Amino acid sequence: AFQQLIMDERARELCFEALRKADLIRWGKFIDQMKLMETDINLNAPATLKYSTRAYRNVSEKHLLQPIPSLELSLNSAMEQNPLWK
């Protein structure tokens, strides 16, 4: 219950500061929350806004990590791209 209170408070306090995604990934809830948001938009948004669900529908495990930039990979041959971004 305490962790849920913290999660709710951070959602309210930091929602427009680009920190929400990192929190959701850290807590293991990113994909679930994106799917819930997609469902909520489909159920409650006007028909003219249903297109916005694409961003939530296309989320997968690949989005839990960032790809390693090509420049970094070319500078260090010992590095390998994150598996889901190959």
Side-chain angles (χ1 to χ4, degrees), residues 9-21 23:
E9 182 64 23
R10 284 190 62 89
R12 285 188 293 274
E13 288 286 327
L14 305 172
C15 61
F16 299 111
E17 296 181 20
L19 299 171
R20 183 81 171 132
K21 181 179 179 183
D23 279 349

Side-chain angles (χ1 to χ4, degrees), residues 39-81:
T39 303
D40 184 52
I41 291 171
N42 279 328
L43 292 175
N44 300 315
T48 56
L49 295 177
K50 300 240 188 233
Y51 70 89
S52 64
T53 61
R54 277 189 229 145
Y56 300 101
R57 189 179 321 123
N58 291 330
V59 171
S60 67
E61 285 193 38
K62 152 182 175 169
H63 297 101
L64 299 177
L65 294 173
Q66 295 292 323
I68 298 172
S70 300
L71 177 63
E72 299 299 324
L73 291 171
S74 67
L75 293 174
N76 186 349
S77 61
M79 290 179 86
E80 289 186 21
Q81 185 58 270

